[in-house]
Amino acid sequence: MNRIAAIVCFLSIIVWFPAHSPGQDTEVEKVETVIRVLQEMVNEPENGVPLEIMRKGQGLAVIPKVIRAAYGIGGQYGKGVVLVRDEAGEWSDPCFIHLAGGSLGWQIGVQEADILLVFKSREGVEDITRGKVTLGADVRVTAGPRSKGAEASTDLEFKEEIYSYSQSRGLFAGISIQGASLMIDSKANGLFYGDPTISAREILIKRTAKAPEIVQNLKKLLASFK
């Protein structure tokens, strides 16, 4: 496949995924999946996300079931949620987002992975509400530290803007999200909150949305990471 054909292939992936992904979850099902993914990634004793990182993080993005497909050129797409803490340390309701992007390279295979991004500051999340944010370009992303057995996850310093974590499955050895973009999913927010005009800032900053009951389960889980 030549370079032009590869680019056409990648663009087709980005256009095709949002409209045609088979088995696409409803918004409530997506939040249920987010809860499961967070439990798995934080509670995994040997290689999980340290509790200290979860305590210090001011924002979270959880994107389950990110699909990465490649034939000469890579593409990835996923839907998830982002949340942000307020000054009192309370978590917002979830705001739905897209993750999309790709990378050049001779890659053949398909991969599905769950991705967690932990933000050092609230500003990093608020930037997403103003438009597309490209990871690695607009904001620095670094693979986060992991728990190791019974070792206490205290005294960890949050040195980077965003720490990334992933649970990878499939044919690739790992997953890179450098160059991928995060964008607000306005349609999903409208469906979940019952208001097609609701904005990301109303959900995350003003907190005027009326959330379904499933959100309380998500917030209880986040509050348990102490």
Side-chain angles (χ1 to χ4, degrees), residues 1-18 67-77 99-105 107 178-181:
M1 179 181 287
N2 61 33
R3 182 62 58 100
I4 294 176
I7 292 173
V8 171
C9 176
F10 167 69
L11 292 175
S12 298
I13 290 171
I14 296 302
V15 171
W16 183 86
F17 264 122
I67 299 295
R68 185 170 186 176
Y71 184 74
I73 187 168
Q76 55 197 8
Y77 181 81
L99 178 144
S103 59
L104 293 171
Q107 303 161 340
Q178 297 289 338
S181 295

Side-chain angles (χ1 to χ4, degrees), residues 67-101:
I67 299 295
R68 185 170 186 176
Y71 184 74
I73 187 168
Q76 55 197 8
Y77 181 81
K79 295 180 68 172
V81 302
V82 65
L83 305 94
V84 65
R85 291 188 198 264
D86 62 16
E87 293 182 356
E90 299 296 323
W91 287 101
S92 69
D93 292 333
C95 176
F96 288 84
I97 55 173
H98 294 291
L99 178 144

Side-chain angles (χ1 to χ4, degrees), residues 103-116:
S103 59
L104 293 171
W106 298 106
Q107 303 161 340
I108 300 175
V110 177
Q111 181 185 35
E112 180 179 291
D114 303 322
I115 293 176
L116 167 64

Side-chain angles (χ1 to χ4, degrees), residues 82 97 119 124-133 182-184:
V82 65
I97 55 173
F119 293 74
V125 176
E126 291 173 7
D127 285 343
I128 302 172
T129 69
R130 303 184 184 102
K132 181 176 70 174
V133 171
L182 296 176
M183 298 158 284
I184 299 299

Side-chain angles (χ1 to χ4, degrees), residues 19-187:
H20 301 282
S21 295
Q24 192 174 54
D25 294 341
T26 67
E27 284 68 35
V28 171
E29 290 170 338
K30 180 64 70 176
V31 174
E32 291 173 343
T33 303
V34 164
I35 292 171
R36 175 185 59 78
V37 166
L38 276 172
Q39 288 173 323
E40 291 175 355
M41 296 182 79
V42 176
N43 293 332
E44 209 287 320
E46 293 294 329
N47 205 30
V49 182
L51 283 175
E52 190 70 7
I53 295 299
M54 297 297 293
R55 294 187 193 107
K56 292 180 177 179
Q58 297 301 302
L60 295 175
V62 188
I63 309 103
K65 301 180 183 178
V66 173
I67 299 295
R68 185 170 186 176
Y71 184 74
I73 187 168
Q76 55 197 8
Y77 181 81
K79 295 180 68 172
V81 302
V82 65
L83 305 94
V84 65
R85 291 188 198 264
D86 62 16
E87 293 182 356
E90 299 296 323
W91 287 101
S92 69
D93 292 333
C95 176
F96 288 84
I97 55 173
H98 294 291
L99 178 144
S103 59
L104 293 171
W106 298 106
Q107 303 161 340
I108 300 175
V110 177
Q111 181 185 35
E112 180 179 291
D114 303 322
I115 293 176
L116 167 64
L117 304 177
V118 186
F119 293 74
K120 181 178 182 178
S121 68
R122 289 190 293 272
E123 289 76 13
V125 176
E126 291 173 7
D127 285 343
I128 302 172
T129 69
R130 303 184 184 102
K132 181 176 70 174
V133 171
T134 301
L135 302 171
D138 298 327
V139 62
R140 182 172 176 175
V141 181
T142 303
R146 298 275 188 165
S147 298
K148 293 182 180 179
E151 181 180 331
S153 61
T154 58
D155 300 325
L156 284 174
E157 294 185 20
F158 210 127
K159 297 180 179 180
E160 304 296 341
E161 294 178 79
I162 300 176
Y163 279 140
S164 67
Y165 296 89
S166 66
Q167 296 185 133
S168 300
R169 296 175 291 278
L171 301 180
F172 289 117
I175 186 168
S176 172
I177 56 173
Q178 297 289 338
S181 295
L182 296 176
M183 298 158 284
I184 299 299
D185 187 346
S186 298
K187 180 179 179 181

